[in-house]
Amino acid sequence: MDVSGTNSANENIGSAAVIKASARQLLMKLGAGGLSLEAAARESGLPVRDVEAVFPHRDDLLTALVIDAYDESGAAMEQADRDARDANAPAGARLLAVARALRQWSFDNPADFTLIYGSPVPDYHAPQDTVPPASRTPAVLAGIVRAALEAGELTPPRRAVPGPPLLRPEAVELFGGVPEAPFSDIIERGIVLWSSLIGLLVFQVFSRTHDSVRDEAAFFDFAIAVAAEGIGLEVPLGETTD
């Protein structure tokens, strides 16, 4: 039996893992702008040609790191949501659980967080391959909001988003369709919640709130509860976060 192809594939997988681990070290030291195949080769101790055999261009390596970051952060949120659902938690508690999970992942992996949510990398344009992994975070949030809507856990908004719908078809598909009034703008409100979550994490990971609040973990929970009010969802507070 010829296993040469299998061995080669396994070697490539092993090399990819070593190269990506070295590249993450470079992200922490130099940022994404300092990443190159030559630098990854030096950091990993591999010849440049071996790195190029797995990742022919710098952008291929960056894309692999971006996909891993989105997948790992999305998986952390999905696991937190499964645990919350297994505990029969209401939607507000599920939202808080997944937000905390993303916060923990962000603090545990600041370089990866910066890669996907920080400043754009010069001369890098993320390919379509990154879209499904990037969609995992909003998909978790959308699932929680949809469950809250179906369970009658949402309070109708005091005012609707004015004018025609502001959504792209992809957003409607992700949520599973536009609900009837008075929740017909819930997807737009969910996008506000999503952007509030990421913006809050940017502030905390990059130490923008440490000189303003005494307890950043408690403030994070409070901010999520405030943001959730925009979709009519009550988030329970008062539980320990660390």
Side-chain angles (χ1 to χ4, degrees):
M1 181 174 63
D2 183 5
V3 296
S4 59
T6 300
N7 289 339
S8 178
N10 289 337
E11 288 174 3
N12 283 342
I13 292 172
S15 296
V18 170
I19 295 165
K20 288 191 293 184
S22 299
R24 290 189 180 95
Q25 293 298 315
L26 290 172
L27 289 180
M28 290 188 287
K29 296 175 183 178
L30 305 174
L35 184 64
S36 67
L37 297 184
E38 292 76 14
R42 287 193 300 271
E43 186 74 18
S44 63
L46 295 172
V48 174
R49 65 178 179 274
D50 288 0
V51 175
E52 291 176 339
V54 181
F55 300 107
H57 304 285
R58 180 209 67 161
D59 286 6
D60 298 318
L61 178 54
L62 270 174
T63 295
L65 295 174
V66 166
I67 289 173
D68 283 355
Y70 278 128
D71 276 337
E72 290 169 9
S73 58
M77 296 177 70
E78 291 161 0
Q79 183 61 57
D81 193 34
R82 283 193 293 271
D83 292 343
R85 284 187 281 117
D86 288 346
N88 296 317
R94 288 172 59 187
L95 176 62
L96 185 58
V98 302
R100 287 174 173 174
L102 184 57
R103 180 180 187 268
Q104 187 62 56
W105 177 88
S106 301
F107 276 97
D108 289 344
N109 303 275
D112 298 275
F113 175 85
T114 301
L115 179 63
I116 57 177
Y117 293 123
S119 300
V121 180
D123 301 319
Y124 173 73
H125 302 283
Q128 190 67 24
D129 292 353
T130 63
V131 174
S135 299
R136 292 177 72 168
T137 289
V140 173
L141 299 177
I144 293 171
V145 175
R146 167 62 72 177
L149 178 65
E150 294 173 350
E153 295 181 47
L154 298 183
T155 301
R158 286 179 291 180
R159 66 173 186 173
V161 174
L166 304 173
L167 303 168
R168 294 175 61 90
E170 295 87 347
V172 176
E173 181 180 1
L174 182 69
F175 190 75
V178 177
E180 299 291 332
F183 297 106
S184 54
D185 61 0
I186 195 65
I187 303 176
E188 288 97 332
R189 291 175 180 275
I191 295 172
V192 173
L193 174 64
W194 174 29
S195 59
S196 297
L197 169 60
I198 301 304
L200 177 61
L201 287 171
V202 167
F203 261 57
Q204 293 213 330
V205 173
F206 299 153
S207 298
R208 296 293 188 265
T209 54
H210 75 281
D211 57 354
S212 300
V213 299
R214 291 195 302 269
D215 185 336
E216 290 192 86
F219 179 79
F220 178 85
D221 287 3
F222 168 74
I224 294 301
V226 170
E229 290 177 355
I231 60 170
L233 182 63
E234 182 178 352
V235 169
L237 296 178
E239 302 175 15
T240 58
T241 59
D242 297 318

